[in-house]
């Protein structure tokens, strides 16, 4: 069981490292620049990933150990681990929110992957099965934290954006079992990977563009507004129409997009998170972890 949880944790760490390494990513931290961020760079992401490696294993372990059918309780039991992980991230980065979103979403995925072991002698992991578990674990989250929200002040970014635009952000993604990943990015990643001549870096950037063209990224909406989010989506579609990472014209457009997002202070951080989630599902899929 320990080896299984370590293997799940290793997939999560690999997903985080692949995501930040993929270059160029418009507005995001990558190997070329800090994107539209002042308080984090490529090395902050390395340090943050290292600090989170034991957290992912602990979440998987929590999933394997959980007894009972009320998966909402498994989700609740992750909260103290998430808080500890957030402190570790802040210590490792000198106070930057590098992986705030992924502590939440990847933690739930690792616990769900742990739960997949229940009642099995060996686990051949399947993204659909994990997504169903994620959805069961977080059932009612949007109703509790967004729809019925009654607070006078102190709204988080996500709560404020729901009230303004009705975007459910990461809460909607987990409660619906990552529809954006299942519908868009995972099929794209798999199809591109079947082309043996494409470098992994280019496949990941291309997958990111597909996500950017559709994702309701609450980070973009929180720093700016709905119009800016539509601008990001249109720009990503335009880069894809030009061939994306697989034509010279597409690559030029992606670099132009990066320069433009940096000037305009646009960071599609939620979309970067979904790229990491996509990579995670691809790494887990079909893997016999024990
Ligand atoms: C459930 C919470 C995580 C929700 O918190 P909040 O209400 O703040 O929710 P959101 O803002 O909606 O989302 C949180 C992060 O999720 C990422 N995200 C955004 N949109 C999407 C999307 N459509 N799909 C997937 N993921 C999405 C995003 O993460 C990225 O942003 C982080 C940097 O954020 P921040 O510092 O706010 O942004 P900056 O632009 O840098 O800030 P400023 O400079 O403008 O100030 C970065 O990590 C990216 O990866 C969202 O930020 C909340 O309840 C919570 O934290 N709970 C703790 C529970 C927990 O961890 N439990 C244990 C595990 S279950
Ligand atoms: N590469 C990246 N740049 C900025 N924010 C992010 N959140 C997750 N990955 C990110």
């Amino acid at each position: 069981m320990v080896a299984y949880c370590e293997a799940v944790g290793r997939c999560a760490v690999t997903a985080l490292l692949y995501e930040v390494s993929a270059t160029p990513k418009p507005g995001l931290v990558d190997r070329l620049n800090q994107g539209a961020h002042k308080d984090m760079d490529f090395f902050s992401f390395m340090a943050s990933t290292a600090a989170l490696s034991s957290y992912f294993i602990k979440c998987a372990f929590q999933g394997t150990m959980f007894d009972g059918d009320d998966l909402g309780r498994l989700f609740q039991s992750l909260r103290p681990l998430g808080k500890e992980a957030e402190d570790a991230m802040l210590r490792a980065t000198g106070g930057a929110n590098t992986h705030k979103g992924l502590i939440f979403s990847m933690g739930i995925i690792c616990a769900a992957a742990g739960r997949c072991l229940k009642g099995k002698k060996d686990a051949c992991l399947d993204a659909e099965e994990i997504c169903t578990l994620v959805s069961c674990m977080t059932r009612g989250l949007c109703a509790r934290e967004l729809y019925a929200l009654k607070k006078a002040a102190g709204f988080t970014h996500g709560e404020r954006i729901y009230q303004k635009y009705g975007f459910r952000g990461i809460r909607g993604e987990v409660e619906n079992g990552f529809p954006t990943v299942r519908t868009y990015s995972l099929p794209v990643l798999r199809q591109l990977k079947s082309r043996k001549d494409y470098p992994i870096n280019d496949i990941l950037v291309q997958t990111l563009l597909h996500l950017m063209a559709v994702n309701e990224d609450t980070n973009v909406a929180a720093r700016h507004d709905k119009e800016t989010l539509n601008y990001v989506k249109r720009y990503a579609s335009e880069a894809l129409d030009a061939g994306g990472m697989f034509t010279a014209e597409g690559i030029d457009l992606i670099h132009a997009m990066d320069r433009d997002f940096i000037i305009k202070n646009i960071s599609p951080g939620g979309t970067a998170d979904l790229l990491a989630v996509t990579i995670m599902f691809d790494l887990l899929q079909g893997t016999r972890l024990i």
Side-chain angles (χ1 to χ4, degrees), residues 191-210:
Q191 195 262 325
L192 292 174
K193 275 183 70 181
S194 71
R195 290 284 308 260
K196 300 288 179 220
D197 51 334
Y198 287 163
I200 182 71
N201 179 73
D202 300 1
I203 291 174
L204 297 181
V205 176
Q206 192 80 355
T207 305
L208 178 82
L209 289 175
H210 279 274

Side-chain angles (χ1 to χ4, degrees), residues 19-20 25 27-30 37 40 45 98-99 102 267 269-270 272-273:
E19 179 275 305
V20 72
K25 291 195 301 294
L28 295 164
V29 175
D30 58 26
H37 289 270
M40 48 177 104
F45 275 86
T98 40
H99 288 121
L102 281 167
S267 165
D273 282 8

Side-chain angles (χ1 to χ4, degrees), residues 55 97-98 100-101 156-158 171 215-216 218-219 223 273:
Y55 164 68
N97 271 331
T98 40
K100 179 184 146 199
T156 65
H157 278 337
R171 293 179 180 85
N215 189 30
E216 286 182 350
T218 57
N219 260 49
R223 270 200 199 180
D273 282 8

